[in-house]
């Protein structure tokens, strides 16, 4: 999934960021995402939820994202 950026650096910056993987689906059309980008490509956001599995290297986003702010991404 790609998600819509909340803040862009300039008007020619891409509006989408990602890719993300859905970790948990809620009943109201919202999803928790896992950022699968390499650490050097991620924005510096310190608020991430740790996954329950201690061996997992990916962090879950701190809040759910609505489906209106997500776009499918196929590789």
């Amino acid at each position: 999934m790609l998600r819509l950026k909340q803040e862009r650096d300039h008007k020619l910056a891409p509006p989408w960021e990602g890719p993300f993987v859905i970790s948990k689906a809620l009943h109201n059309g919202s999803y928790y995402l896992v950022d699968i980008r390499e650490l050097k490509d991620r924005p510096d956001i310190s608020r991430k939820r740790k996954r329950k599995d201690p061996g997992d290297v990916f962090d879950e986003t701190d809040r759910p994202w609505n489906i209106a702010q997500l776009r499918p991404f196929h590789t």
Side-chain angles (χ1 to χ4, degrees):
M1 298 298 275
L2 297 176
R3 76 174 179 197
L4 189 62
K5 283 186 180 180
Q6 299 300 310
E7 297 177 9
R8 290 196 279 175
D9 299 332
H10 53 84
K11 67 180 182 179
L12 296 178
W16 301 96
E17 64 182 346
F20 294 90
V21 174
I22 295 173
S23 66
K24 184 178 3 175
L26 303 178
H27 294 288
N28 61 355
S30 297
Y31 300 92
Y32 280 100
L33 304 174
V34 172
D35 194 352
I36 60 171
R37 295 178 285 182
E38 293 184 20
L39 286 175
K40 63 181 176 68
D41 296 333
R42 293 183 192 177
D44 186 26
I45 300 174
S46 60
R47 297 180 331 178
K48 297 273 186 186
R49 288 179 34 174
K50 281 290 189 189
R51 304 278 314 268
K52 291 184 172 126
D53 183 13
D56 199 356
V57 296
F58 300 115
D59 293 332
E60 194 174 65
T61 54
D62 60 337
R63 63 184 183 92
W65 287 80
N66 193 307
I67 191 65
Q69 297 172 333
L70 301 175
R71 172 173 283 180
F73 176 73
H74 306 282
T75 59

